[in-house]
């Protein structure tokens, strides 16, 4: 008798997701019970993940920069990464707009009277630049402000390289802390199947009826966009630029994809995403730089959502957007994805910016705000898969 084959962690996470969806539907009508007894355990798991994210990003980027040993090399990785993210985001908005225009006739018109929604103000361009640079070292850590943590890590990495012989002790300490953080992450990730189950049950219980109701078509169009963009754009880029089979890519990405879908948190999925890309052969020092940057500025899923929701909101107001207005939407959404990097609730701020750019009332956001969480689950999957695809591409290019 051979040994029984043990189920992989990815399989367990998937089982947790399916079980959570089934139990979630059973809890429709008993949302309070789901939120009171099941949700806290999901929150507890997310808290653990978020607790380890900051040390992982900080130490792994410093460690990666030291391993690269060359400041210019970090620059070339940065430029390639940002170019990849900008190009795929622009394509994503086009995908969202094209699909929304195609299915516009099927959207149910929702009344826009008595709508109220106050969107948070977006930071100006200068504010965005200033916000990248931390004024102290503690605040970004306590608030998990990823972009500032990346900047801190880069400066410390550069400092250790420039210190030469005297920086050796600091380098050893960083490598050691990096390894310890990874081990802690391994322990927390073992709880993923249970965490995923507890996160998804209350979401399904709460949103079940509206998903099947008047918003079903808008959700369907957004999800078709998510799937097409992921399967076509990312498959093509990993095949052409990373010489990696798309099938192998998606198979290895499954644990991170399920985690992203359940938690709707790019930062929360970061540790798992690092593990998945390194398994596929991405260089550790590149993954530790490209992924945290992507979790902050790469928003392909959000861009698709902007395209679909803009057309839907316009149709509810009885407005038809011209081609030139849709070009403005593409430009605004692409720039906004970088401009709102690291701002909490960036999706909603971006949508407000996009609506304002073509003269649509921002109150229209209230039409989609109620089920934003369901949109967000798919958005997050696209965002983190894009981060991983970029990691594989940049890693391959740097190896060459």
């Amino acid at each position: 008798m051979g040994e029984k084959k043990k189920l992989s962690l990815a399989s367990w996470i998937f089982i947790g997701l399916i079980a959570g969806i089934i139990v979630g539907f059973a809890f429709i009508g008993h949302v309070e019970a789901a939120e009171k007894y099941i949700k806290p355990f999901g929150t507890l798991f997310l808290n653990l993940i978020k607790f380890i994210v900051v040390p992982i990003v900080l130490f792994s980027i410093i460690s990666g920069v030291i391993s690269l040993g060359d400041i210019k090399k970090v620059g070339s990785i940065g430029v390639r990464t940002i170019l990849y993210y900008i190009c795929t985001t622009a394509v994503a908005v086009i995908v969202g707009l094209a699909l929304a225009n195609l299915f516009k006739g099927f959207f149910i018109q929702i009344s826009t009277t008595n709508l109220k929604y106050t969107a948070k103000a977006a930071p100006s361009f200068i504010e965005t630049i200033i916000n990248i640079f931390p004024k102290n070292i503690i605040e970004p850590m306590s608030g998990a402000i990823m972009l500032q943590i990346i900047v801190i890590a880069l400066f410390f990495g550069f400092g250790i390289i420039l210190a030469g012989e005297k920086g050796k002790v600091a380098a050893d300490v960083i490598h050691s802390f990096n390894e310890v953080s990874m081990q802690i992450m391994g322990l927390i990730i073992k709880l993923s199947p249970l965490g995923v189950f507890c996160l998804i049950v209350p979401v399904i219980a709460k949103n079940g009826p509206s998903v099947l109701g008047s918003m079903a078509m808008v959700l369907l169009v957004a999800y078709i966009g998510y799937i097409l963009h992921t399967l076509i754009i990312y498959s093509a880029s990993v095949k052409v630029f990373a010489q990696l089979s798309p099938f192998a890519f998606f198979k290895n990405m499954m644990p991170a994809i399920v985690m992203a879908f359940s938690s709707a948190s790019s930062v929360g999925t970061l540790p798992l995403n690092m593990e998945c890309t390194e398994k596929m052969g991405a260089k550790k020092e590149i993954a530790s730089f490209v992924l945290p940057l992507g979790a902050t500025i790469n928003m392909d899923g959000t861009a698709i959502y902007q395209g679909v929701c803009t057309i839907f909101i316009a149709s509810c107001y009885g407005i038809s957007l011209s081609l030139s207005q849709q070009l403005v939407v593409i430009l605004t959404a692409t720039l906004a994805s970088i401009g709102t990097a690291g701002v909490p609730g960036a999706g909603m701020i971006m949508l407000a910016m996009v609506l304002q750019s073509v003269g649509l009332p921002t109150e229209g956001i209230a039409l989609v705000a109620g089920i934003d969480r369901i949109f967000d689950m798919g958005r997050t999957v696209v965002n983190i898969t894009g981060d991983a695809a970029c990691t594989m591409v940049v890693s391959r290019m740097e190896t060459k």
Side-chain angles (χ1 to χ4, degrees):
M1 286 285 286
E3 261 189 63
K4 264 193 189 167
K5 194 167 183 269
K6 278 173 81 178
L7 276 176
S8 66
L9 180 68
S11 307
W12 278 114
I13 294 175
F14 191 69
I15 291 166
L17 176 74
I18 300 300
I21 291 172
I22 294 166
V23 173
F25 275 111
F27 268 95
I28 288 178
H30 307 284
V31 181
E32 276 178 17
E35 295 208 324
K36 191 175 175 186
Y37 299 111
I38 297 173
K39 192 179 179 179
F41 295 102
T43 308
L44 194 148
F45 169 68
L46 256 191
N47 285 353
L48 282 174
I49 288 261
K50 286 176 178 171
F51 135 76
I52 197 60
V53 154
V54 170
I56 279 207
V57 170
L58 182 71
F59 295 126
S60 64
I61 291 183
I62 301 176
S63 183
V65 171
I66 300 166
S67 304
L68 287 168
D70 183 359
I71 295 174
K72 279 187 191 150
K73 223 173 180 185
V74 178
S76 90
I77 293 171
V79 170
R80 282 176 172 164
T81 303
I82 290 167
L83 277 177
Y84 181 95
Y85 288 152
I86 289 174
C87 293
T88 56
T89 301
V91 171
V93 193
I94 296 166
V95 169
L97 285 171
L99 285 168
N101 280 307
L102 197 63
F103 290 100
K104 195 163 62 173
F106 298 98
F107 290 158
I108 291 175
Q109 304 293 304
I110 300 174
S111 162
T112 54
T113 44
N114 304 325
L115 276 187
K116 278 190 182 71
Y117 186 86
T118 312
K120 275 194 225 160
S124 70
F125 178 71
I126 294 295
E127 278 176 322
T128 305
I129 299 294
I130 292 169
N131 288 342
I132 294 173
F133 297 94
K135 57 177 178 280
N136 65 46
I137 200 167
I138 307 296
E139 215 173 293
M141 309 277 186
S142 66
I145 306 165
M146 275 307 134
L147 219 46
Q148 295 189 357
I149 293 170
I150 293 168
V151 170
I152 291 170
L154 288 174
F155 274 114
F156 271 94
F158 296 159
I160 290 170
I161 291 174
L162 295 171
E165 198 57 42
K166 286 184 176 172
K168 282 262 167 65
V169 176
D172 291 340
V173 170
I174 293 292
H175 290 315
S176 174
F177 267 117
N178 188 32
E179 186 51 43
V180 170
S181 304
M182 291 294 178
Q183 295 299 332
I184 296 171
M185 178 186 89
L187 292 174
I188 296 168
I189 282 174
K190 286 195 169 76
L191 300 170
S192 299
L194 187 64
V196 161
F197 173 84
C198 297
L199 284 165
I200 203 82
V201 171
V203 174
I204 299 292
K206 186 178 178 182
N207 296 286
S210 59
V211 171
L212 306 170
S214 59
M215 292 299 290
M217 199 62 208
V218 186
L219 274 167
L220 182 66
V221 173
Y223 271 84
I224 291 171
Y226 295 157
I227 292 164
L228 287 178
H229 185 77
T230 305
L231 291 181
I232 297 168
I233 303 299
Y234 300 150
S235 293
S237 62
V238 296
K239 181 91 181 109
V240 175
F241 299 112
Q243 258 99 65
L244 181 69
S245 136
F247 180 76
F249 173 73
F250 287 112
K251 186 173 174 239
N252 282 304
M253 279 300 294
M254 251 344 175
I257 286 172
V258 176
M259 178 66 199
F261 186 75
S262 324
S263 68
S265 166
S266 291
V267 171
T269 312
L270 200 49
L272 254 179
N273 211 357
M274 283 182 169
E275 208 171 81
C276 293
T277 50
E278 280 169 34
K279 249 189 203 156
M280 289 186 274
K283 282 184 162 181
K284 198 171 186 170
E285 56 268 30
I286 290 175
S288 62
F289 175 69
V290 176
L291 289 174
L293 190 62
T296 317
I297 70 166
N298 180 37
M299 302 197 189
D300 291 5
T302 314
I304 294 167
Y305 158 82
Q306 313 287 331
V308 173
C309 289
T310 303
I311 298 288
F312 168 65
I313 291 167
S315 75
C316 286
Y317 278 102
I319 297 167
S320 198
L321 295 179
S322 67
L323 183 63
S324 60
Q325 284 178 305
Q326 294 192 33
L327 289 172
V328 171
V329 170
I330 295 167
L331 190 66
T332 311
T334 307
L335 295 174
S337 72
I338 293 170
T340 55
V343 181
M348 286 299 185
I349 297 175
M350 275 172 74
L351 187 51
M353 286 166 78
V354 170
L355 292 178
Q356 282 164 349
S357 73
V358 286
L360 285 168
T362 49
E363 289 77 25
I365 297 178
L367 295 167
V368 291
I371 53 160
D372 187 59
R373 174 61 198 248
I374 302 288
F375 282 115
D376 203 5
M377 287 152 66
R379 282 200 302 252
T380 309
V381 169
V382 181
N383 292 346
I384 66 108
T385 311
D387 300 345
C390 181
T391 303
M392 300 317 295
V393 169
V394 173
S395 190
R396 172 79 188 185
M397 284 177 165
E398 287 298 318
T399 315
K400 272 185 180 172

